[in-house]
Amino acid sequence: QCDWSSDVCSSDLLRVLAERLVPDQRDAVVLTVFEGLTAAEAADRLEVSVETIHVRKSRGLSNLRRLINEKGNGPEGRDGTP
């Protein structure tokens, strides 16, 4: 489910960087991306709406992309283009 290069996705970098997200975003990303739950399953587990999961996941993934690029491991960090 990761959109980045396989070397980044296969490393522990994403999990390390996910720890830097705010708790609500981290929970949504971990449950839906790393653990593979559906948005509905994550919503049930966290006792929030499905829409809330979508918003938190979207913001969390956006922040993860920013963190990856700051580390020089994302697409922008490798060749300087967005």
Side-chain angles (χ1 to χ4, degrees):
Q1 293 181 354
C2 184
D3 293 333
W4 302 292
S5 66
S6 60
D7 58 328
V8 173
C9 291
S10 64
S11 73
D12 291 329
L13 177 62
L14 290 178
R15 285 192 180 270
V16 169
L17 293 176
E19 290 300 317
R20 295 177 58 189
L21 298 174
V22 295
D24 289 342
Q25 293 175 9
R26 181 179 58 240
D27 292 344
V29 169
V30 167
L31 291 176
T32 60
V33 176
F34 298 136
E35 295 185 16
L37 270 60
T38 65
E41 292 167 333
D44 285 343
R45 186 174 295 181
L46 297 176
E47 299 179 348
V48 297
S49 71
V50 172
E51 180 61 28
T52 297
I53 292 297
H54 288 299
V55 169
R56 290 176 182 177
K57 177 182 175 182
S58 176
R59 289 178 182 165
L61 290 175
S62 177
N63 285 326
L64 273 179
R65 284 184 199 97
R66 181 183 50 79
L67 291 169
I68 287 169
N69 289 327
E70 286 174 4
K71 292 290 240 181
N73 292 317
E76 293 175 10
R78 281 196 294 272
D79 64 7
T81 59

